[in-house]
Amino acid sequence: MDLLAASIAIRWDDAGWLWLLDQRLLPGEERGLRIETAPAAADAIRDLVVRGAPAIGITAAYGVVLSALRHADAADPTAAVAADIATLRAARPTAVNLGWALDRMAATIEAAGGPDPETLLALAREIHLDDIAANHRMGELGAAEIEAGSAVLTHCNTGSLATGGYGTALGVIRSAHGGGRLTHVYAGETRPWLQGARLTAWELQQDGIPVDLVIEGAVASLFRSGRARWLVAGSDRIAANGDVANKIGTYSAALHARSHGGKVMIVAPFSTVDLAMPDGSGIPIEQRAADEVLGLGGRRVAAAGAGAWNPVFDITPAELVDVIVTERGVARPPFRESLAAQA
């Protein structure tokens, strides 16, 4: 099976362009966008056509390939591609996978003495395939932590749409369900973009995995009722001490889970671990437009004159996390030591 061709969110066309599934339109419409330049790839990342830290990194890698192709005849191809890499790097500040992928592409350009498109394409494909393999490994490791007969809550979307394929937290859920361990999945709606309602529920339905949506305000009651035993979430950056940056609402969900005897599992490729970041206080938190909160579906719902505070991510402190699952193993507290041991 050609794993890259089977990727539902990101596909490279050998004619020299990138295909991205426009996730803003799901589940009502499945439409792809043809991306032909690095700035267009950066726009797609910034505008949430593609989202999820691993998928952002993969898209950026292919964006560098596009840049090398478009600037092959430039007076200074290296400088032109470097400018495009800077544009891609600035697209979204929180996801460490973005910088990780771009650093690998830039190092390859330096080693080759210039931006060779074939060499860069081979690396982008390697990054893509490695992510798919890592997802399956994390699925196996994380599923083994979940007790048979459990139901779990997940937050945002961490499946095939957010990765190279299969998923991080959703990969664990897929593996746990396939192994007969899961009875049910609860998905937070994930305001204001409704990734849980639009994307996670759509993916789980495709796989025949039962899912109920819950509003974020119901999460405390969900765990108090005993309906869910685990919060299983992804991450956009994990600090050296185990503090976790993820979609806004993860912190409160972790508080509710731990307050009521539940557990918290974070699932992410090791490329998401930033050992140079001592703790979560230094992780940049992206702020987006107030209109995303003040309206819904393109229609304003808030009272005229109201403003909005719209952070996209929050930091879940390491003391609320039970396990961090990467493709390299299952890290447990103290995370500074266990994560460093995976490096």
Side-chain angles (χ1 to χ4, degrees):
M1 179 181 179
D2 186 344
L3 294 177
L4 296 187
S7 175
I8 67 171
I10 307 166
R11 296 176 196 158
W12 176 262
D13 190 291
D14 286 334
W17 52 276
L18 182 64
W19 180 93
L20 296 176
L21 179 64
D22 191 342
Q23 298 184 33
R24 301 170 299 181
L25 304 178
L26 290 172
E29 182 180 355
E30 296 180 35
R31 184 198 305 170
L33 291 182
R34 178 173 171 146
I35 306 296
E36 299 184 346
T37 67
D43 289 343
I45 292 169
R46 185 180 305 106
D47 296 341
L48 302 181
V49 170
V50 61
R51 23 113 352 250
I56 287 171
I58 294 164
T59 299
Y62 284 123
V64 177
V65 180
L66 291 172
S67 179
L69 289 170
R70 299 299 174 267
H71 297 302
D73 297 326
D76 189 346
T78 300
V81 173
D84 278 345
I85 288 176
T87 297
L88 288 161
R89 195 181 296 275
R92 295 196 72 181
T94 303
V96 72
N97 305 64
L98 175 63
W100 170 83
L102 291 173
D103 286 346
R104 290 190 65 184
M105 301 299 280
T108 297
I109 291 171
E110 182 176 1
D116 176 61
E118 290 187 8
T119 303
L120 292 171
L121 178 57
L123 178 56
R125 284 177 164 152
E126 177 184 327
I127 290 171
H128 196 168
L129 281 168
D130 284 351
D131 185 68
I132 296 172
N135 290 343
H136 283 275
R137 176 62 176 157
M138 288 184 284
E140 296 172 0
L141 292 171
E145 298 290 317
I146 296 175
E147 304 85 354
S150 296
V152 304
L153 170 74
T154 192
H155 188 61
C156 197
N157 174 259
T158 56
S160 297
L161 295 170
T163 64
Y166 198 65
T168 53
L170 215 56
V172 168
I173 288 170
R174 285 184 164 113
S175 293
H177 181 265
R181 292 176 174 270
L182 279 191
T183 60
H184 208 80
V185 179
Y186 295 93
E189 284 185 310
T190 327
R191 279 281 286 146
W193 274 84
L194 299 174
Q195 292 99 324
R198 296 186 303 106
L199 306 180
T200 296
W202 179 79
E203 284 203 48
L204 291 173
Q205 282 191 320
Q206 303 300 305
D207 286 357
I209 300 175
V211 56
D212 283 344
L213 288 173
V214 294
I215 63 171
E216 273 74 74
V219 168
S221 295
L222 179 76
F223 280 104
R224 186 173 66 176
S225 73
R227 290 176 179 271
R229 296 186 188 178
W230 282 90
L231 166 65
V232 183
S235 177
D236 288 76
R237 187 179 301 208
I238 299 171
N241 73 331
D243 289 349
V244 174
N246 194 48
K247 180 59 60 183
I248 189 73
T250 306
Y251 177 28
S252 59
L255 282 169
H256 294 319
R258 292 293 295 270
S259 295
H260 297 292
K263 297 181 179 181
V264 177
M265 178 189 299
I266 300 299
V267 190
F270 194 77
S271 58
T272 302
V273 178
D274 187 355
L275 294 177
M277 183 68 64
D279 57 59
S281 64
I283 298 176
I285 300 298
E286 180 183 353
Q287 297 279 337
R288 291 182 67 88
D291 287 348
E292 293 180 354
V293 174
L294 301 174
L296 184 63
R299 178 181 177 183
R300 186 181 177 96
V301 295
W309 181 57
N310 187 21
V312 186
F313 303 95
D314 55 26
I315 305 297
T316 299
E319 56 264 29
L320 295 178
V321 179
D322 291 279
V323 293
I324 297 174
V325 180
T326 78
E327 73 278 19
R328 299 184 183 181
V330 178
R332 306 180 193 277
F335 291 115
R336 195 176 298 278
E337 288 78 8
S338 59
L339 288 173
Q342 292 188 14

